[in-house]
Amino acid sequence: MSVTYDLRLLTSFLAVADELHFGRAAERLQVAQPALSQQLRRLETQLGVQLFDRDARKVELTGAGKAFLPGAREAVAAAHRAALAAQRVTDTAPAVLRVAVDLDLPERVLQQIRLFSQIRSEIELKVVRQHQGDALDALHGDQVDLVVGWGRMPYGPPLRSLTLDSEEILAVLRDDHPEAVRPAMTRDAFGRGQFVMFEREQSADVFDWLAVAAAGRQPEQLRIQQVRSLDDGASAMLRSAGRGCGQTIVAASRFDAAAHPRLRTIPFDPPLRHEIVAMWTAESESAAVLALADSWGRA
């Protein structure tokens, strides 16, 4: 049987699947929560299955929802790629492309951008490193054309985006922490301890998503110590964990065991991965923006 799905329904499903919270998903999509709920019910009716278990305390994917998730994500990504290909045919690249890269992203992201610059030498790249919240402010203020940062569509004005990569996220504890002997970290065990995180104002959407993804609870239900960072948030979080302020998390490629001999990393069970995305506005979209976003892994 052939079934056609509205791309908006798939986008709504992905937002709720990512956030596991209808209020935050609605804020992310810039729609009213009742409208979002209606879209999800419409999709479930089309599929003939229930995608989410909902109650007053939590939202969870059903078995059918988990099975539907990879295909839905790929369908939305494929639609974005098709749009990029069509727009490149008629657009003309500007002389300068201004890119803001989140301070906590792995080095391979900058390597990919440098490689693109070598291949597309007719485009002058200007790259700055910023906290993601500052980078998004710069994007909306027309100070940069593109932001490369951590996934989860930011709160606030809607953006266009494309998933570029992903990174495994690990639990980090001092070697004398009672949970440090675990071979793998469950969400429930992680959620019971003091949790060291970067300041929420640096990137509220990423802060909220990581809290739920790592600890299985809403941020307000956790004991979170926020640490101020003038450099990247990961370094500040690791320093605090090393001083015994609590457990934290880190992208696998960002952890240097030699620099933090008292800390131990533990994989989550099931594994936790965080997407790396390119984000831009309708106003900043250009052939150069689309070329950089679409070149990932192929430059």
Side-chain angles (χ1 to χ4, degrees):
M1 180 178 66
S2 176
V3 181
T4 301
Y5 299 108
D6 187 330
L7 191 63
R8 290 174 299 177
L9 301 185
L10 298 183
T11 302
S12 296
F13 165 74
L14 292 178
V16 178
D18 287 341
E19 301 291 348
L20 294 180
H21 190 283
F22 274 81
R24 283 202 302 273
E27 187 174 0
R28 167 176 161 181
L29 295 171
Q30 297 287 287
V31 300
Q33 188 170 330
L36 177 61
S37 297
Q38 185 177 23
Q39 289 174 352
L40 264 295
R41 285 194 295 271
R42 180 181 165 195
L43 179 60
E44 288 176 325
T45 299
Q46 289 184 4
L47 290 169
V49 298
Q50 184 176 339
L51 297 172
F52 295 97
D53 284 326
R54 315 162 174 85
D55 61 34
R57 296 179 58 250
K58 62 183 178 180
V59 177
E60 292 183 340
L61 283 164
T62 63
K66 292 176 182 177
F68 186 62
L69 181 59
R73 201 179 295 283
E74 175 55 31
V76 172
H80 283 308
R81 289 195 296 269
L84 297 182
Q87 290 164 341
R88 280 200 310 272
V89 173
T90 57
D91 207 351
T92 302
V96 177
L97 177 59
R98 304 164 299 171
V99 181
V101 180
D102 182 80
L103 285 164
D104 285 312
L105 289 180
E107 177 62 25
R108 68 176 183 274
V109 172
L110 288 175
Q111 292 173 351
Q112 180 75 20
I113 292 173
R114 294 188 196 106
L115 182 57
F116 173 82
S117 181
Q118 294 170 9
I119 295 172
R120 297 295 299 270
S121 57
E122 77 277 11
I123 300 173
E124 180 186 353
L125 271 178
K126 293 186 176 181
V127 179
V128 295
R129 302 295 303 276
Q130 294 179 299
H131 289 300
Q132 188 153 319
D134 294 334
L136 291 168
D137 287 343
L139 177 63
H140 291 298
D142 194 30
Q143 297 170 314
V144 299
D145 306 303
L146 180 78
V147 172
V148 181
W150 293 107
R152 303 285 80 79
M153 187 55 66
Y155 303 148
L159 296 175
R160 300 179 180 184
S161 67
L162 189 69
T163 299
L164 308 176
D165 199 349
S166 68
E167 178 87 2
E168 184 176 10
I169 303 298
L170 304 173
V172 182
L173 303 88
R174 260 177 56 128
D175 55 11
D176 57 356
H177 192 287
E179 301 287 353
V181 297
R182 285 177 171 269
M185 181 63 68
T186 65
R187 270 57 171 183
D188 182 64
F190 194 78
R192 290 196 296 265
Q194 171 97 348
F195 189 0
V196 177
M197 284 279 282
F198 56 85
E199 286 189 314
R200 188 176 184 273
E201 66 182 32
Q202 292 179 5
S203 184
D205 55 299
V206 175
F207 181 100
D208 291 346
W209 183 84
L210 283 172
V212 173
R217 305 178 194 175
Q218 301 302 322
E220 58 271 18
Q221 298 173 315
L222 299 169
R223 292 186 292 130
I224 299 179
Q225 177 182 334
Q226 299 181 42
V227 293
R228 177 173 291 276
S229 166
L230 297 178
D231 52 4
D232 60 285
S235 296
M237 290 157 61
L238 291 171
R239 287 194 296 267
S240 293
R243 292 194 296 267
C245 298
Q247 60 207 26
T248 190
I249 53 178
V250 69
S253 66
R254 293 296 314 278
F255 185 74
D256 181 354
H260 302 283
R262 292 297 311 273
L263 296 180
R264 179 169 179 241
T265 58
I266 303 175
F268 282 95
D269 182 22
L272 173 58
R273 299 195 70 84
H274 201 180
E275 293 177 347
I276 298 170
V277 299
M279 296 170 278
W280 64 95
T281 66
E283 293 74 23
S284 71
E285 186 170 290
S286 67
V289 165
L290 300 178
L292 177 57
D294 198 35
S295 72
W296 222 259
R298 292 189 287 161

